[in-house]
Amino acid sequence: MKQISQFAFAGTVGYLADTFTLLLVYPWTGAYAGRFVSFSCAVLTTWLINRSLTFRHQRDGKPIHREFSLYFLSMLGGGAVNLLSYFLVVYLFTLPPSALPVAVAVGSLAGMLVNYSLSKRVVFTGRREKDVPR
């Protein structure tokens, strides 16, 4: 349960990074292209938190660039659910820029379970410290 709480914390900080970046780039990119930029920032943010907090005892010694690449690719699974949910909400409700954080939240929640499963099973595959016999 602690690990899921930590993953949710990382997701919350990632949501804030996502929303802030989207609102920052929106005037130049619009609601759709801006979300690809903001999603990438959110992935970087959550990777940094998850590798140092949530899965710190499950890192298996992959080089950092390989770990991030694997994390980013894995997050595309949940990211597809996330972005499709976001695009659907924006399209159906014709949201003004001030309401875009609501659409980001819908997408983030939709993709979170997929992302947790992929993080745990694909990226951070080392044994947890408490699982290691002493």
Side-chain angles (χ1 to χ4, degrees):
M1 191 66 167
K2 181 179 178 183
Q3 194 174 49
I4 291 173
S5 298
Q6 291 170 333
F7 191 83
F9 169 74
T12 300
V13 176
Y15 164 78
L16 294 172
D18 198 339
T19 302
F20 176 78
T21 304
L22 178 61
L23 293 175
L24 187 68
V25 302
Y26 173 82
W28 298 278
T29 62
Y32 297 105
R35 190 64 207 286
F36 287 105
V37 174
S38 68
F39 175 78
S40 297
C41 290
V43 170
L44 176 61
T45 301
T46 59
W47 170 68
L48 290 169
I49 295 169
N50 281 323
R51 80 178 310 269
S52 62
L53 179 67
T54 311
F55 299 108
R56 72 181 173 276
H57 300 298
Q58 288 176 255
R59 296 189 352 231
D60 61 1
K62 290 179 188 79
I64 197 163
H65 68 280
R66 186 167 186 273
E67 182 185 272
F68 176 71
S69 298
L70 189 56
Y71 185 82
F72 193 90
L73 289 172
S74 296
M75 294 305 100
L76 292 179
V81 173
N82 181 329
L83 292 171
L84 287 172
S85 300
Y86 168 84
F87 292 151
L88 188 62
V89 169
V90 169
Y91 177 77
L92 290 176
F93 299 103
T94 322
L95 298 178
S98 62
L100 291 177
V102 173
V104 173
V106 169
S108 295
L109 290 172
M112 188 170 82
L113 291 176
V114 174
N115 286 341
Y116 177 74
S117 295
L118 290 171
S119 290
K120 187 171 180 138
R121 288 177 175 74
V122 176
V123 182
F124 302 103
T125 56
R127 293 175 65 176
R128 287 178 35 182
E129 192 173 86
K130 72 178 190 177
D131 296 335
V132 177
R134 293 184 187 225

PDB file of all heavy atoms in Angstrom, residues 59-88:
ATOM      1  N   ARG A  59      15.422  -0.846  -8.151  1.00  0.00           N
ATOM      2  CA  ARG A  59      16.231  -0.537  -9.325  1.00  0.00           C
ATOM      3  C   ARG A  59      17.245  -1.648  -9.498  1.00  0.00           C
ATOM      4  O   ARG A  59      17.834  -2.117  -8.538  1.00  0.00           O
ATOM      5  CB  ARG A  59      16.885   0.830  -9.149  1.00  0.00           C
ATOM      6  CG  ARG A  59      15.820   1.911  -9.086  1.00  0.00           C
ATOM      7  CD  ARG A  59      16.272   3.335  -9.111  1.00  0.00           C
ATOM      8  NE  ARG A  59      17.667   3.603  -9.012  1.00  0.00           N
ATOM      9  CZ  ARG A  59      18.194   4.460  -8.152  1.00  0.00           C
ATOM     10  NH1 ARG A  59      17.442   5.106  -7.306  1.00  0.00           N
ATOM     11  NH2 ARG A  59      19.480   4.688  -8.144  1.00  0.00           N
ATOM     12  N   ASP A  60      17.452  -2.061 -10.717  1.00  0.00           N
ATOM     13  CA  ASP A  60      18.302  -3.230 -10.934  1.00  0.00           C
ATOM     14  C   ASP A  60      19.629  -2.911 -11.616  1.00  0.00           C
ATOM     15  O   ASP A  60      20.242  -3.779 -12.217  1.00  0.00           O
ATOM     16  CB  ASP A  60      17.543  -4.301 -11.710  1.00  0.00           C
ATOM     17  CG  ASP A  60      17.097  -3.848 -13.088  1.00  0.00           C
ATOM     18  OD1 ASP A  60      17.395  -2.704 -13.456  1.00  0.00           O
ATOM     19  OD2 ASP A  60      16.461  -4.638 -13.796  1.00  0.00           O
ATOM     20  N   GLY A  61      20.081  -1.684 -11.516  1.00  0.00           N
ATOM     21  CA  GLY A  61      21.394  -1.343 -12.034  1.00  0.00           C
ATOM     22  C   GLY A  61      21.452  -1.005 -13.513  1.00  0.00           C
ATOM     23  O   GLY A  61      22.534  -0.922 -14.083  1.00  0.00           O
ATOM     24  N   LYS A  62      20.283  -0.806 -14.146  1.00  0.00           N
ATOM     25  CA  LYS A  62      20.296  -0.375 -15.549  1.00  0.00           C
ATOM     26  C   LYS A  62      20.990   0.986 -15.628  1.00  0.00           C
ATOM     27  O   LYS A  62      20.843   1.808 -14.734  1.00  0.00           O
ATOM     28  CB  LYS A  62      18.867  -0.184 -16.069  1.00  0.00           C
ATOM     29  CG  LYS A  62      18.057  -1.429 -16.252  1.00  0.00           C
ATOM     30  CD  LYS A  62      16.649  -1.042 -16.757  1.00  0.00           C
ATOM     31  CE  LYS A  62      15.715  -2.213 -16.783  1.00  0.00           C
ATOM     32  NZ  LYS A  62      15.173  -2.558 -15.474  1.00  0.00           N
ATOM     33  N   PRO A  63      21.713   1.258 -16.709  1.00  0.00           N
ATOM     34  CA  PRO A  63      22.243   2.612 -16.905  1.00  0.00           C
ATOM     35  C   PRO A  63      21.075   3.606 -16.904  1.00  0.00           C
ATOM     36  O   PRO A  63      19.980   3.287 -17.377  1.00  0.00           O
ATOM     37  CB  PRO A  63      22.914   2.551 -18.274  1.00  0.00           C
ATOM     38  CG  PRO A  63      23.185   1.099 -18.514  1.00  0.00           C
ATOM     39  CD  PRO A  63      22.096   0.355 -17.796  1.00  0.00           C
ATOM     40  N   ILE A  64      21.308   4.781 -16.379  1.00  0.00           N
ATOM     41  CA  ILE A  64      20.235   5.760 -16.185  1.00  0.00           C
ATOM     42  C   ILE A  64      19.519   6.107 -17.493  1.00  0.00           C
ATOM     43  O   ILE A  64      18.296   6.241 -17.518  1.00  0.00           O
ATOM     44  CB  ILE A  64      20.762   7.018 -15.456  1.00  0.00           C
ATOM     45  CG1 ILE A  64      19.602   7.830 -14.899  1.00  0.00           C
ATOM     46  CG2 ILE A  64      21.659   7.839 -16.346  1.00  0.00           C
ATOM     47  CD1 ILE A  64      20.022   8.838 -13.852  1.00  0.00           C
ATOM     48  N   HIS A  65      20.254   6.232 -18.597  1.00  0.00           N
ATOM     49  CA  HIS A  65      19.616   6.560 -19.871  1.00  0.00           C
ATOM     50  C   HIS A  65      18.733   5.411 -20.356  1.00  0.00           C
ATOM     51  O   HIS A  65      17.673   5.630 -20.937  1.00  0.00           O
ATOM     52  CB  HIS A  65      20.659   6.943 -20.934  1.00  0.00           C
ATOM     53  CG  HIS A  65      21.531   5.805 -21.362  1.00  0.00           C
ATOM     54  ND1 HIS A  65      22.613   5.392 -20.613  1.00  0.00           N
ATOM     55  CD2 HIS A  65      21.453   4.994 -22.440  1.00  0.00           C
ATOM     56  CE1 HIS A  65      23.180   4.360 -21.232  1.00  0.00           C
ATOM     57  NE2 HIS A  65      22.493   4.092 -22.335  1.00  0.00           N
ATOM     58  N   ARG A  66      19.154   4.188 -20.082  1.00  0.00           N
ATOM     59  CA  ARG A  66      18.337   3.027 -20.468  1.00  0.00           C
ATOM     60  C   ARG A  66      17.085   2.948 -19.593  1.00  0.00           C
ATOM     61  O   ARG A  66      15.998   2.649 -20.085  1.00  0.00           O
ATOM     62  CB  ARG A  66      19.148   1.748 -20.337  1.00  0.00           C
ATOM     63  CG  ARG A  66      18.396   0.539 -20.870  1.00  0.00           C
ATOM     64  CD  ARG A  66      19.339  -0.661 -21.029  1.00  0.00           C
ATOM     65  NE  ARG A  66      18.647  -1.749 -21.674  1.00  0.00           N
ATOM     66  CZ  ARG A  66      17.924  -2.664 -21.029  1.00  0.00           C
ATOM     67  NH1 ARG A  66      17.808  -2.604 -19.727  1.00  0.00           N
ATOM     68  NH2 ARG A  66      17.329  -3.625 -21.688  1.00  0.00           N
ATOM     69  N   GLU A  67      17.260   3.193 -18.303  1.00  0.00           N
ATOM     70  CA  GLU A  67      16.111   3.164 -17.394  1.00  0.00           C
ATOM     71  C   GLU A  67      15.073   4.206 -17.804  1.00  0.00           C
ATOM     72  O   GLU A  67      13.880   3.915 -17.872  1.00  0.00           O
ATOM     73  CB  GLU A  67      16.562   3.413 -15.956  1.00  0.00           C
ATOM     74  CG  GLU A  67      15.419   3.346 -14.949  1.00  0.00           C
ATOM     75  CD  GLU A  67      15.866   3.724 -13.566  1.00  0.00           C
ATOM     76  OE1 GLU A  67      16.312   2.829 -12.829  1.00  0.00           O
ATOM     77  OE2 GLU A  67      15.774   4.923 -13.224  1.00  0.00           O
ATOM     78  N   PHE A  68      15.526   5.436 -18.096  1.00  0.00           N
ATOM     79  CA  PHE A  68      14.585   6.479 -18.505  1.00  0.00           C
ATOM     80  C   PHE A  68      13.914   6.118 -19.830  1.00  0.00           C
ATOM     81  O   PHE A  68      12.697   6.294 -19.977  1.00  0.00           O
ATOM     82  CB  PHE A  68      15.250   7.850 -18.625  1.00  0.00           C
ATOM     83  CG  PHE A  68      14.293   8.894 -19.132  1.00  0.00           C
ATOM     84  CD1 PHE A  68      13.272   9.356 -18.329  1.00  0.00           C
ATOM     85  CD2 PHE A  68      14.380   9.360 -20.431  1.00  0.00           C
ATOM     86  CE1 PHE A  68      12.354  10.296 -18.800  1.00  0.00           C
ATOM     87  CE2 PHE A  68      13.471  10.293 -20.912  1.00  0.00           C
ATOM     88  CZ  PHE A  68      12.454  10.769 -20.089  1.00  0.00           C
ATOM     89  N   SER A  69      14.684   5.623 -20.781  1.00  0.00           N
ATOM     90  CA  SER A  69      14.092   5.242 -22.073  1.00  0.00           C
ATOM     91  C   SER A  69      13.032   4.169 -21.899  1.00  0.00           C
ATOM     92  O   SER A  69      11.940   4.248 -22.475  1.00  0.00           O
ATOM     93  CB  SER A  69      15.172   4.730 -23.030  1.00  0.00           C
ATOM     94  OG  SER A  69      16.103   5.737 -23.299  1.00  0.00           O
ATOM     95  N   LEU A  70      13.334   3.174 -21.083  1.00  0.00           N
ATOM     96  CA  LEU A  70      12.382   2.101 -20.815  1.00  0.00           C
ATOM     97  C   LEU A  70      11.152   2.642 -20.089  1.00  0.00           C
ATOM     98  O   LEU A  70      10.015   2.277 -20.396  1.00  0.00           O
ATOM     99  CB  LEU A  70      13.062   1.011 -19.989  1.00  0.00           C
ATOM    100  CG  LEU A  70      12.313  -0.292 -19.783  1.00  0.00           C
ATOM    101  CD1 LEU A  70      11.918  -0.919 -21.119  1.00  0.00           C
ATOM    102  CD2 LEU A  70      13.179  -1.255 -18.986  1.00  0.00           C
ATOM    103  N   TYR A  71      11.374   3.543 -19.146  1.00  0.00           N
ATOM    104  CA  TYR A  71      10.267   4.162 -18.409  1.00  0.00           C
ATOM    105  C   TYR A  71       9.376   4.949 -19.367  1.00  0.00           C
ATOM    106  O   TYR A  71       8.159   4.799 -19.368  1.00  0.00           O
ATOM    107  CB  TYR A  71      10.819   5.080 -17.311  1.00  0.00           C
ATOM    108  CG  TYR A  71       9.760   5.683 -16.420  1.00  0.00           C
ATOM    109  CD1 TYR A  71       9.231   4.968 -15.350  1.00  0.00           C
ATOM    110  CD2 TYR A  71       9.292   6.974 -16.624  1.00  0.00           C
ATOM    111  CE1 TYR A  71       8.273   5.509 -14.518  1.00  0.00           C
ATOM    112  CE2 TYR A  71       8.329   7.534 -15.800  1.00  0.00           C
ATOM    113  CZ  TYR A  71       7.821   6.795 -14.747  1.00  0.00           C
ATOM    114  OH  TYR A  71       6.871   7.347 -13.935  1.00  0.00           O
ATOM    115  N   PHE A  72       9.993   5.784 -20.198  1.00  0.00           N
ATOM    116  CA  PHE A  72       9.225   6.605 -21.133  1.00  0.00           C
ATOM    117  C   PHE A  72       8.411   5.724 -22.079  1.00  0.00           C
ATOM    118  O   PHE A  72       7.220   5.957 -22.289  1.00  0.00           O
ATOM    119  CB  PHE A  72      10.137   7.549 -21.922  1.00  0.00           C
ATOM    120  CG  PHE A  72       9.386   8.611 -22.659  1.00  0.00           C
ATOM    121  CD1 PHE A  72       9.112   9.823 -22.052  1.00  0.00           C
ATOM    122  CD2 PHE A  72       8.929   8.412 -23.961  1.00  0.00           C
ATOM    123  CE1 PHE A  72       8.402  10.812 -22.718  1.00  0.00           C
ATOM    124  CE2 PHE A  72       8.210   9.394 -24.630  1.00  0.00           C
ATOM    125  CZ  PHE A  72       7.953  10.601 -24.001  1.00  0.00           C
ATOM    126  N   LEU A  73       9.045   4.706 -22.640  1.00  0.00           N
ATOM    127  CA  LEU A  73       8.333   3.800 -23.546  1.00  0.00           C
ATOM    128  C   LEU A  73       7.204   3.068 -22.828  1.00  0.00           C
ATOM    129  O   LEU A  73       6.114   2.893 -23.378  1.00  0.00           O
ATOM    130  CB  LEU A  73       9.298   2.798 -24.176  1.00  0.00           C
ATOM    131  CG  LEU A  73      10.260   3.383 -25.198  1.00  0.00           C
ATOM    132  CD1 LEU A  73      11.299   2.339 -25.612  1.00  0.00           C
ATOM    133  CD2 LEU A  73       9.521   3.907 -26.416  1.00  0.00           C
ATOM    134  N   SER A  74       7.449   2.659 -21.594  1.00  0.00           N
ATOM    135  CA  SER A  74       6.414   1.979 -20.820  1.00  0.00           C
ATOM    136  C   SER A  74       5.242   2.906 -20.512  1.00  0.00           C
ATOM    137  O   SER A  74       4.090   2.483 -20.516  1.00  0.00           O
ATOM    138  CB  SER A  74       6.996   1.450 -19.506  1.00  0.00           C
ATOM    139  OG  SER A  74       7.967   0.478 -19.763  1.00  0.00           O
ATOM    140  N   MET A  75       5.545   4.153 -20.252  1.00  0.00           N
ATOM    141  CA  MET A  75       4.490   5.108 -19.915  1.00  0.00           C
ATOM    142  C   MET A  75       3.605   5.437 -21.123  1.00  0.00           C
ATOM    143  O   MET A  75       2.514   5.980 -20.977  1.00  0.00           O
ATOM    144  CB  MET A  75       5.074   6.401 -19.338  1.00  0.00           C
ATOM    145  CG  MET A  75       5.765   6.217 -17.987  1.00  0.00           C
ATOM    146  SD  MET A  75       4.752   5.453 -16.701  1.00  0.00           S
ATOM    147  CE  MET A  75       5.322   3.762 -16.737  1.00  0.00           C
ATOM    148  N   LEU A  76       4.061   5.078 -22.302  1.00  0.00           N
ATOM    149  CA  LEU A  76       3.237   5.309 -23.488  1.00  0.00           C
ATOM    150  C   LEU A  76       1.966   4.470 -23.459  1.00  0.00           C
ATOM    151  O   LEU A  76       0.947   4.862 -24.026  1.00  0.00           O
ATOM    152  CB  LEU A  76       4.038   5.055 -24.761  1.00  0.00           C
ATOM    153  CG  LEU A  76       5.169   6.048 -25.030  1.00  0.00           C
ATOM    154  CD1 LEU A  76       5.912   5.673 -26.310  1.00  0.00           C
ATOM    155  CD2 LEU A  76       4.675   7.476 -25.102  1.00  0.00           C
ATOM    156  N   GLY A  77       1.991   3.317 -22.770  1.00  0.00           N
ATOM    157  CA  GLY A  77       0.782   2.504 -22.629  1.00  0.00           C
ATOM    158  C   GLY A  77      -0.292   3.256 -21.856  1.00  0.00           C
ATOM    159  O   GLY A  77      -1.412   3.464 -22.339  1.00  0.00           O
ATOM    160  N   GLY A  78       0.053   3.677 -20.652  1.00  0.00           N
ATOM    161  CA  GLY A  78      -0.874   4.487 -19.865  1.00  0.00           C
ATOM    162  C   GLY A  78      -1.077   5.846 -20.494  1.00  0.00           C
ATOM    163  O   GLY A  78      -2.144   6.450 -20.377  1.00  0.00           O
ATOM    164  N   GLY A  79      -0.039   6.332 -21.178  1.00  0.00           N
ATOM    165  CA  GLY A  79      -0.133   7.633 -21.854  1.00  0.00           C
ATOM    166  C   GLY A  79      -1.168   7.626 -22.955  1.00  0.00           C
ATOM    167  O   GLY A  79      -1.864   8.620 -23.169  1.00  0.00           O
ATOM    168  N   ALA A  80      -1.290   6.513 -23.655  1.00  0.00           N
ATOM    169  CA  ALA A  80      -2.314   6.410 -24.704  1.00  0.00           C
ATOM    170  C   ALA A  80      -3.706   6.525 -24.086  1.00  0.00           C
ATOM    171  O   ALA A  80      -4.561   7.266 -24.590  1.00  0.00           O
ATOM    172  CB  ALA A  80      -2.163   5.094 -25.462  1.00  0.00           C
ATOM    173  N   VAL A  81      -3.925   5.818 -22.980  1.00  0.00           N
ATOM    174  CA  VAL A  81      -5.207   5.915 -22.266  1.00  0.00           C
ATOM    175  C   VAL A  81      -5.406   7.342 -21.763  1.00  0.00           C
ATOM    176  O   VAL A  81      -6.483   7.937 -21.910  1.00  0.00           O
ATOM    177  CB  VAL A  81      -5.244   4.909 -21.086  1.00  0.00           C
ATOM    178  CG1 VAL A  81      -6.471   5.109 -20.222  1.00  0.00           C
ATOM    179  CG2 VAL A  81      -5.158   3.485 -21.598  1.00  0.00           C
ATOM    180  N   ASN A  82      -4.352   7.902 -21.193  1.00  0.00           N
ATOM    181  CA  ASN A  82      -4.368   9.263 -20.651  1.00  0.00           C
ATOM    182  C   ASN A  82      -4.728  10.279 -21.747  1.00  0.00           C
ATOM    183  O   ASN A  82      -5.665  11.067 -21.600  1.00  0.00           O
ATOM    184  CB  ASN A  82      -2.982   9.548 -20.052  1.00  0.00           C
ATOM    185  CG  ASN A  82      -2.832  10.914 -19.436  1.00  0.00           C
ATOM    186  OD1 ASN A  82      -3.449  11.877 -19.847  1.00  0.00           O
ATOM    187  ND2 ASN A  82      -1.966  11.002 -18.444  1.00  0.00           N
ATOM    188  N   LEU A  83      -3.971  10.250 -22.834  1.00  0.00           N
ATOM    189  CA  LEU A  83      -4.171  11.245 -23.892  1.00  0.00           C
ATOM    190  C   LEU A  83      -5.508  11.076 -24.605  1.00  0.00           C
ATOM    191  O   LEU A  83      -6.180  12.071 -24.917  1.00  0.00           O
ATOM    192  CB  LEU A  83      -3.015  11.198 -24.888  1.00  0.00           C
ATOM    193  CG  LEU A  83      -1.667  11.663 -24.321  1.00  0.00           C
ATOM    194  CD1 LEU A  83      -0.542  11.372 -25.306  1.00  0.00           C
ATOM    195  CD2 LEU A  83      -1.684  13.133 -23.959  1.00  0.00           C
ATOM    196  N   LEU A  84      -5.922   9.840 -24.844  1.00  0.00           N
ATOM    197  CA  LEU A  84      -7.225   9.627 -25.486  1.00  0.00           C
ATOM    198  C   LEU A  84      -8.365  10.142 -24.610  1.00  0.00           C
ATOM    199  O   LEU A  84      -9.307  10.764 -25.111  1.00  0.00           O
ATOM    200  CB  LEU A  84      -7.427   8.156 -25.833  1.00  0.00           C
ATOM    201  CG  LEU A  84      -6.605   7.642 -27.002  1.00  0.00           C
ATOM    202  CD1 LEU A  84      -6.735   6.124 -27.130  1.00  0.00           C
ATOM    203  CD2 LEU A  84      -7.005   8.314 -28.304  1.00  0.00           C
ATOM    204  N   SER A  85      -8.271   9.899 -23.311  1.00  0.00           N
ATOM    205  CA  SER A  85      -9.291  10.412 -22.391  1.00  0.00           C
ATOM    206  C   SER A  85      -9.306  11.941 -22.405  1.00  0.00           C
ATOM    207  O   SER A  85     -10.367  12.566 -22.459  1.00  0.00           O
ATOM    208  CB  SER A  85      -9.022   9.912 -20.966  1.00  0.00           C
ATOM    209  OG  SER A  85      -9.042   8.516 -20.917  1.00  0.00           O
ATOM    210  N   TYR A  86      -8.117  12.527 -22.350  1.00  0.00           N
ATOM    211  CA  TYR A  86      -7.982  13.990 -22.387  1.00  0.00           C
ATOM    212  C   TYR A  86      -8.576  14.558 -23.675  1.00  0.00           C
ATOM    213  O   TYR A  86      -9.394  15.484 -23.648  1.00  0.00           O
ATOM    214  CB  TYR A  86      -6.504  14.371 -22.269  1.00  0.00           C
ATOM    215  CG  TYR A  86      -6.213  15.822 -22.589  1.00  0.00           C
ATOM    216  CD1 TYR A  86      -6.372  16.804 -21.623  1.00  0.00           C
ATOM    217  CD2 TYR A  86      -5.778  16.205 -23.857  1.00  0.00           C
ATOM    218  CE1 TYR A  86      -6.102  18.142 -21.915  1.00  0.00           C
ATOM    219  CE2 TYR A  86      -5.510  17.528 -24.147  1.00  0.00           C
ATOM    220  CZ  TYR A  86      -5.675  18.493 -23.184  1.00  0.00           C
ATOM    221  OH  TYR A  86      -5.413  19.807 -23.474  1.00  0.00           O
ATOM    222  N   PHE A  87      -8.169  13.999 -24.823  1.00  0.00           N
ATOM    223  CA  PHE A  87      -8.666  14.501 -26.110  1.00  0.00           C
ATOM    224  C   PHE A  87     -10.182  14.377 -26.207  1.00  0.00           C
ATOM    225  O   PHE A  87     -10.852  15.274 -26.716  1.00  0.00           O
ATOM    226  CB  PHE A  87      -8.010  13.763 -27.280  1.00  0.00           C
ATOM    227  CG  PHE A  87      -6.539  14.037 -27.446  1.00  0.00           C
ATOM    228  CD1 PHE A  87      -5.715  13.081 -28.007  1.00  0.00           C
ATOM    229  CD2 PHE A  87      -5.975  15.240 -27.040  1.00  0.00           C
ATOM    230  CE1 PHE A  87      -4.355  13.323 -28.176  1.00  0.00           C
ATOM    231  CE2 PHE A  87      -4.624  15.484 -27.202  1.00  0.00           C
ATOM    232  CZ  PHE A  87      -3.816  14.529 -27.767  1.00  0.00           C
ATOM    233  N   LEU A  88     -10.710  13.282 -25.697  1.00  0.00           N
ATOM    234  CA  LEU A  88     -12.155  13.070 -25.733  1.00  0.00           C
ATOM    235  C   LEU A  88     -12.892  14.122 -24.901  1.00  0.00           C
ATOM    236  O   LEU A  88     -13.877  14.704 -25.362  1.00  0.00           O
ATOM    237  CB  LEU A  88     -12.483  11.661 -25.230  1.00  0.00           C
ATOM    238  CG  LEU A  88     -13.921  11.197 -25.380  1.00  0.00           C
ATOM    239  CD1 LEU A  88     -14.312  11.147 -26.861  1.00  0.00           C
ATOM    240  CD2 LEU A  88     -14.094   9.819 -24.751  1.00  0.00           C
TER     241      LEU A  88
END
